[in-house]
Amino acid sequence: MTDSLRMLAEGFVGALTPTSIIAALIGCLLGTVVGVLPGLGPSTTIALLIPVAFTLEPESALIMMLGVYLGAMYGGSLTSVLMRVPGEAGSIMTAIDGFEMAKQGRAGPALAVSAIGSFIGGTASVIGLTVLAPVIATYALKIGPAEYFSLMLAALLFTSVLLGSDLLKGLISVALGLLVALIGTDLQTGVPRLTFGWSPLLEGVDVIVVLMGLFGVAEVLWFLSHRGEEQGDRLGLRGKLWLTKEDWQRSRSAIARSSVVGFLIGVLPGSGSSLAGVVSYSIEERVSKEPGRMGNGAIEGVAAPETANNAATGGALIPMLTLGVPGSGTTAVLLTVLMIYGIDPGPRMMTDHADIMWTLIASLYLSNVILLLLNLPLIPLFVRILDIPVRFLMPVVLVIAAVGSYSLSNNFADVILLFIFGITGYLMRIVGIPVVPLILAVILAPKMEQSLRQALLLADGAWSTFLTRPISLAFLLSGILILALDLTSKIRTRRSLVPVGAGDDD
Amino acid sequence: MVVTIAAVALIGAADIFVPRGLNDALGPRLVPIVVGAALAVLGAILGIRAWISDAAAPPDPGSLVVVGVLIAAMLGFLVLFQLAGFIVTCVLFLGSLFWYLGEQRWWLVLLSAATVSVVVYVLFADLLNVNLPTGPWGF
């Protein structure tokens, strides 16, 4: 434990340099703005930032992106409260009671508790991350190829079960992702696969292009084609911004509970801020001593989901950082960024690159503080941002995505692919197929195939190795378990509340 | 909607066939075939399920006209990109979309399209050293 604290302290040294602080500031601001704007989410933004990140140092770029991640959770609550439109998936439940409170002229306290709850949830989960990460990392070293394969398989299964409301569609998404990942030249035999004779595909499809297409472009298409359906009235920010003592008392326990709940849910691959919000809200409902309060402007109804969605961020980072397995759209993007910098995802991440990890963790603490300080006074400013007309914003997003993809390898084919994936993402949303499993599959597939081959090699071709090794078996069983749970519809009602969005399900 | 699902199944089925022509060793062909087969099966199940139950209405695709226009704009972008250079393409792309999406003031459309294009160009080409194509006019 003291070892961790020491490393954390060293991390703080790195996180408190002027460059890092500025990076964090920019990230937090950008994230909050993005969280406020409908149609753009943290995953999309981080994906769009990737080409920019090439010119920055790894640490600064990562700190900025983490800032965006956290900031978006804070920003999403603004539109929920003021317009009953969630700025991002985690704030869906906030829209219910938050808007009611706004109608009662209590938008101020709603936003305030949102900011405070987000801070507490976020910080608590980073503490959890600090404590648990090294523990998991030591276990992680025992993971060999067989375990790794089973883990990733389980993660994919978890994701297809927990995201969206339909297991079948989730699995289809995974299968599509695997297929996309297979495009290219097989590394072990040098044979082209699924290239259809088109030479740009020999290198395979760049994950980032897939990301920007499925998240960014598809989101724009979807948003613009549904424009005008959600333009609700915008309520003004009247009244004070502070919480009354009663507010505070009611929110306290909600915040405490939701921090823990959010954190745990974040750790599970496939579930993230949206599920955290829904679950914490339902818990408050169950626990509430005054039935009928929830849904009518109860401040706990705002405190709970906002705390939970921020707490989920820290939790989601655990499997990503310690095991190299992303559990959601945004962590998937973050993982891609790490890979770009040559930080190999996997159990070795914490030991080989401990300094970077701890700097990142330290910057998370910092970002939470920054966001708290930024949010409370700047709320009126952020509200003004909503005034930027969509007609300007969306095309610009398209251009940025296009230039971004082009800049990856100076390859025009990437832009073509970008648009193709954009249309595909849009089509997937129409059919109701979730996009995140596809992305996860694309990211995990290469490693999965590699691990599969390595495991078989180590076991001399015995497929039973996946079952005879205990940890591997455990992972596989948990994957099967969650499948079984879904098929017996225990989780189904819960999940039908979670939207099938383009990647904001984190 | 069933049509789309059938399409998914077909993609899966088609992809099983592709590897056969491109390689002969067992290793590389195994996974694509497995995945392709799985996709075909899942797609078929989805299609059958939708056909039988006729249950929930599919999510509303929204205004297909808008999507059509956007796709056309994207195609235009792709075609012009290498021919006319980035800046011109970008201005045209943004300008047409701004106008289509509702901005009436033509001077503002031109101004903002031009500004954004130049800013993006400067940002990427100069600051980040990305080699954006220039048109026959040199920019």
Side-chain angles (χ1 to χ4, degrees):
Chain A
M1 186 63 198
T2 43
D3 208 33
S4 315
L5 285 181
R6 187 173 52 88
M7 305 224 58
L8 185 60
E10 283 176 33
F12 268 109
V13 171
L16 290 176
T17 61
T19 339
S20 306
I21 296 184
I22 294 180
L25 259 174
I26 297 180
C28 292
L29 265 174
L30 192 58
T32 317
V33 168
V34 162
V36 166
L37 290 171
L40 282 181
S43 34
T44 315
T45 316
I46 298 182
L48 290 177
L49 277 179
I50 290 180
V52 173
F54 278 132
T55 55
L56 296 172
E57 284 198 11
E59 271 179 13
S60 312
L62 287 167
I63 291 179
M64 200 189 311
M65 291 177 177
L66 285 176
V68 169
Y69 189 21
L70 284 181
M73 297 302 155
Y74 278 76
S77 54
L78 263 159
T79 53
S80 291
V81 169
L82 293 176
M83 287 167 58
R84 207 174 197 272
V85 171
E88 45 85 44
S91 306
I92 290 174
M93 304 312 281
T94 318
I96 302 180
D97 275 89
F99 192 65
E100 288 300 314
M101 284 182 72
K103 284 204 288 197
Q104 295 163 16
R106 302 226 300 142
L111 292 173
V113 84
S114 204
I116 294 178
S118 297
F119 174 71
I120 295 181
T123 310
S125 73
V126 181
I127 294 179
L129 177 63
T130 316
V131 168
L132 284 183
V135 171
I136 296 184
T138 40
Y139 279 107
L141 289 177
K142 300 204 180 110
I143 293 186
E147 286 79 12
Y148 208 20
F149 176 79
S150 308
L151 172 63
M152 289 192 274
L153 188 60
L156 284 179
L157 287 175
F158 266 77
T159 313
S160 21
V161 165
L162 290 173
L163 274 178
S165 53
D166 198 337
L167 173 63
L168 188 56
K169 292 181 185 168
L171 289 176
I172 289 184
S173 183
V174 171
L176 282 172
L178 291 176
L179 222 48
V180 168
L182 290 171
I183 299 178
T185 309
D186 177 35
L187 283 175
Q188 244 150 293
T189 53
V191 154
R193 293 194 290 191
L194 296 181
T195 54
F196 296 93
W198 193 31
S199 53
L201 285 182
L202 277 177
E203 299 273 321
V205 175
D206 199 325
V207 163
I208 301 172
V209 173
V210 178
L211 271 172
M212 292 206 264
L214 286 179
F215 285 172
V217 178
E219 189 65 46
V220 170
L221 286 177
W222 181 263
F223 187 80
L224 286 177
S225 64
H226 287 86
R227 201 162 63 119
E229 293 172 13
E230 296 171 349
Q231 305 298 343
D233 314 301
R234 173 147 65 89
L235 293 183
L237 193 58
R238 299 189 299 279
K240 296 189 308 185
L241 211 54
W242 285 114
L243 302 173
T244 64
K245 205 160 120 177
E246 187 199 336
D247 288 335
W248 186 230
Q249 263 180 329
R250 287 184 187 276
S251 318
R252 237 180 7 200
S253 34
I255 291 182
R257 275 189 289 265
S258 308
S259 299
V260 176
V261 168
F263 181 71
L264 290 175
I265 291 185
V267 174
L268 278 181
S271 63
S273 61
S274 38
L275 195 65
V278 169
V279 171
S280 61
Y281 189 84
S282 332
I283 291 182
E284 289 310 308
E285 257 185 315
R286 300 267 168 86
V287 163
S288 173
K289 299 193 182 85
E290 303 160 50
R293 253 188 70 89
M294 301 290 285
N296 288 322
I299 197 164
E300 311 89 276
V302 174
E306 283 305 312
T307 310
N309 70 23
N310 279 71
T313 57
L317 286 172
I318 285 191
M320 207 266 294
L321 289 177
T322 58
L323 297 173
V325 174
S328 65
T330 310
T331 42
V333 183
L334 286 170
L335 193 71
T336 314
V337 178
L338 283 172
M339 292 199 306
I340 292 176
Y341 285 124
I343 300 177
D344 195 32
R348 303 236 133 55
M349 260 212 307
M350 288 232 60
T351 43
D352 292 349
H353 301 277
D355 47 346
I356 295 195
M357 290 302 123
W358 286 105
T359 310
L360 290 182
I361 296 180
S363 78
L364 282 175
Y365 283 111
L366 183 65
S367 297
N368 267 302
V369 172
I370 292 180
L371 283 167
L372 183 67
L373 293 175
L374 274 185
N375 261 275
L376 291 179
L378 289 184
I379 286 177
L381 181 64
F382 288 129
V383 169
R384 300 273 283 118
I385 291 178
L386 288 171
D387 288 333
I388 298 183
V390 150
R391 57 181 177 267
F392 282 120
L393 198 59
M394 294 291 137
V396 174
V397 170
L398 286 179
V399 168
I400 294 183
V403 180
S405 343
Y406 183 78
S407 70
L408 291 172
S409 344
N410 271 336
N411 190 348
F412 180 60
D414 283 334
V415 187
I416 299 180
L417 285 172
L418 172 79
F419 288 150
I420 292 180
F421 277 109
I423 299 176
T424 311
Y426 171 74
L427 290 173
M428 282 173 73
R429 277 183 86 163
I430 297 183
V431 178
I433 297 180
V435 162
V436 178
L438 197 159
I439 293 280
L440 285 180
V442 172
I443 292 181
L444 291 177
K447 294 234 76 173
M448 276 181 77
E449 211 184 348
Q450 195 182 33
S451 304
L452 183 66
R453 285 180 168 153
Q454 278 175 343
L456 286 177
L457 213 60
L458 285 173
D460 285 325
W463 284 84
S464 59
T465 184
F466 296 105
L467 295 174
T468 50
R469 296 175 69 114
I471 306 183
S472 166
L473 181 62
F475 285 137
L476 285 176
L477 281 180
S478 59
I480 297 179
L481 186 66
I482 197 114
L483 275 181
L485 273 179
D486 173 78
L487 291 172
T488 58
S489 78
K490 276 223 138 212
I491 329 184
R492 194 154 300 173
T493 36
R494 236 344 95 72
R495 274 198 346 251
S496 58
L497 289 172
V498 175
V500 178
D504 282 352
D505 279 358
D506 44 25
Chain B
M1 159 131 156
V2 181
V3 173
T4 333
I5 296 164
V8 173
L10 279 176
I11 298 177
D15 284 313
I16 304 181
F17 286 105
V18 174
R20 206 163 286 164
L22 290 179
N23 56 65
D24 9 65
L26 183 60
R29 221 169 72 191
L30 174 65
V31 182
I33 289 185
V34 167
V35 174
L39 193 56
V41 167
L42 288 173
I45 298 180
L46 194 59
I48 296 176
R49 203 181 69 176
W51 194 40
I52 296 181
S53 64
D54 195 62
D60 167 31
S63 162
L64 286 174
V65 173
V66 175
V67 176
V69 170
L70 285 170
I71 294 182
M74 293 195 291
L75 279 173
F77 185 88
L78 289 175
V79 166
L80 283 182
F81 193 65
Q82 307 229 279
L83 290 176
F86 171 73
I87 294 195
V88 172
T89 313
C90 192
V91 172
L92 284 174
F93 181 76
L94 286 179
S96 54
L97 282 180
F98 287 163
W99 184 76
Y100 173 72
L101 291 176
E103 180 58 58
Q104 308 278 17
R105 302 165 278 186
W106 63 269
W107 55 269
L108 187 59
V109 168
L110 279 178
L111 187 63
S112 38
T115 317
V116 172
S117 306
V118 171
V119 167
V120 170
Y121 183 80
V122 167
L123 207 61
F124 277 89
D126 295 338
L127 281 177
L128 301 178
N129 276 320
V130 173
N131 222 342
L132 289 173
T134 54
W137 302 284
F139 60 80

